[in-house]
Every structure is written in structure tokens, then in C-alpha cells.
Amino acid sequence: MYTALLFDLDNTLVDRDGAVRAHFAERLREYTLDRSDMLEEVLARDRSGYGDREAFLEWYQAMFAPESNQRELMIEMRFGLVRKLRAYRGVKTLLQRLSREYTLGLLTNGSATGQRLKLEATGLRNYFTEDVVSIAGEMNFSKPSPVAFEKALERMVEFPEDTLMIGDDPINDIQGGAEAGLSTCWISHGRTFSGPTPPTYVIEQVTDLPSVLVR
């Protein structure tokens, strides 16, 4: 019986990939020479945010915006993504319901500024108290390091073994959570699991989570 639920943020509670696609589709159409044909390559190089950010910015600058510097592009992309970002349908209702029965926590990789902007922009900040929001950029430890999970759990629960980790990434969320001693729930988004450590549960989308919790 779980008493606490630890959530990933990007592509778990919020549609990060959808926002990135919408942002770059808009930007590529706005250049003097429409570069919409490059959208899929841009997304492939972004790698859902897991790619080398410096290398991505260098490539993007050279291809589309040589007159801009990388800091300007980074800021443009960050705020462009946040402007397009939405929580998945039903997520707020789900969190409100779960908060009546479980301690809810958040463990997300990324910068403090970027991840907090996402929480505010999507309205999800209202569902997590400050003491249970753990961001890699503030902790100096990132998933899948067990230390990141340990630090998050220290802020949430007395008994970590009663916590379920929910996320979409096979390595950062599932392998990392398992190595920290947690049960794990993988959000497939229609994919086949390819990680080295099988999850405890598999669901299609986060709003399917109650079907796992009633087992």
C-alpha cells in the first residue's frame, strides 16, 4: 500500500514535447526563408530535452539565427516553450483527487528557473507544496542518481519504500527509481519499454494511474 506518489514533470504531467513542437513549428515559419521542412530534424536533435543543450544551441544558431547569440536563443526557447506548455488533459483533477489520499511529491531534472516557470504557467504549482518540489538544478543532483531520489524522499516521507515513482523516462525515472528502492510506474505514451530495469507497472498516460493504485 503506497502512502506517497513521486512524479516526474516533463512528459509525465505536462506535454513538454508537444510544446517544443508547437514552438519550433511557429519559429521556423517566421524566418525570412520558411524552414518548416526542418522541424523533424530540430525535434530529433532536441531529443526531448535530453540532448547536449550546448551542441543543440550551436547547431540551431548556425542554421537559423547566426545574428543571435546563444544566451538570447536559450531565453527565447525557454519562454517560447513555456508559452505553449499545457498540463495533460485531466491532470489537475487527478492530482486534486490523489492529494486526499497520498502525499504528492515532484522530482524533475532541469534548471530551477525553467522548471518553476513550467509549474507556474501550467497551474500545477497549486498541487505541490514547496517542501515537496525537488528540482535537479537546486539540489545539484540529477536523476537517475539515487542521491536525487534520496533528497526528494527526505522531504516527503518517513518510509521511502511506501512511495511509487511515476515517470516517462526508462532511465531517469524507472531505473533511477528502482535503484533508490522505489516501486515504479512507467508512462508509455504508446511506446515499448526499452530500459534495463522493468517498471513495476506500465500505464498509457498519467491519468490511468488510479487503475494501478487500486490493485
Side-chain angles (χ1 to χ4, degrees):
M1 179 68 178
Y2 303 113
T3 61
L5 306 174
L6 182 58
F7 290 92
D8 169 52
L9 179 61
D10 292 314
N11 295 324
T12 294
L13 298 177
V14 301
D15 187 5
R16 190 260 180 202
D17 283 357
V20 169
R21 175 178 286 275
H23 167 68
F24 283 116
E26 181 177 88
R27 289 296 295 124
L28 293 174
R29 288 194 303 268
E30 291 173 347
Y31 290 116
T32 302
L33 176 62
D34 188 331
R35 304 305 306 274
S36 298
D37 60 311
M38 294 288 291
L39 178 60
E40 295 306 320
E41 182 170 355
V42 171
L43 297 177
R45 288 176 177 269
D46 172 67
R47 291 183 54 211
S48 295
Y50 292 116
D52 183 324
R53 302 314 292 166
E54 184 175 341
F56 176 81
L57 286 169
E58 287 179 359
W59 174 81
Y60 189 91
Q61 179 186 30
M63 287 294 298
F64 307 112
E67 73 286 353
S68 299
N69 61 52
Q70 289 187 24
R71 177 173 173 76
E72 290 171 340
L73 289 175
M74 181 182 69
I75 293 172
E76 173 196 298
M77 292 176 188
R78 173 179 289 167
F79 284 94
L81 185 158
V82 168
R83 184 166 55 88
K84 300 289 187 182
L85 194 64
R86 301 290 183 274
Y88 287 112
R89 184 183 299 274
V91 160
K92 294 178 182 179
T93 300
L94 173 71
L95 294 176
Q96 183 65 45
R97 172 184 168 186
L98 294 175
S99 68
R100 302 188 190 110
E101 301 180 49
Y102 303 92
T103 298
L104 306 185
L106 189 74
L107 175 58
T108 175
N109 284 352
S111 71
T113 300
Q115 299 307 85
R116 289 191 179 280
L117 280 172
K118 293 174 186 177
L119 288 172
E120 293 292 344
T122 57
L124 295 187
R125 180 67 185 82
N126 299 327
Y127 299 91
F128 297 95
T129 59
E130 179 62 29
D131 58 321
V132 297
V133 174
S134 299
I135 301 175
E138 295 175 341
M139 299 188 299
N140 296 318
F141 289 97
S142 301
K143 297 179 292 183
S145 167
V147 179
F149 289 88
E150 290 166 7
K151 286 183 173 293
L153 292 168
E154 284 173 1
R155 307 172 70 179
M156 284 180 61
V157 293
E158 184 176 357
F159 303 107
E161 62 271 18
D162 295 333
T163 301
L164 179 66
M165 174 67 203
I166 304 106
D168 71 294
D169 189 83
I171 304 298
N172 288 341
D173 299 319
I174 304 308
Q175 182 179 350
E179 290 180 353
L182 305 181
S183 296
T184 59
C185 181
W186 182 59
I187 300 171
S188 70
H189 296 305
R191 301 167 295 165
T192 299
F193 189 78
S194 59
T197 306
T200 312
Y201 310 104
V202 176
I203 56 177
E204 176 77 16
Q205 53 195 0
V206 72
T207 48
D208 295 330
L209 185 59
S211 67
V212 166
L213 299 175
V214 297
R215 295 181 185 180

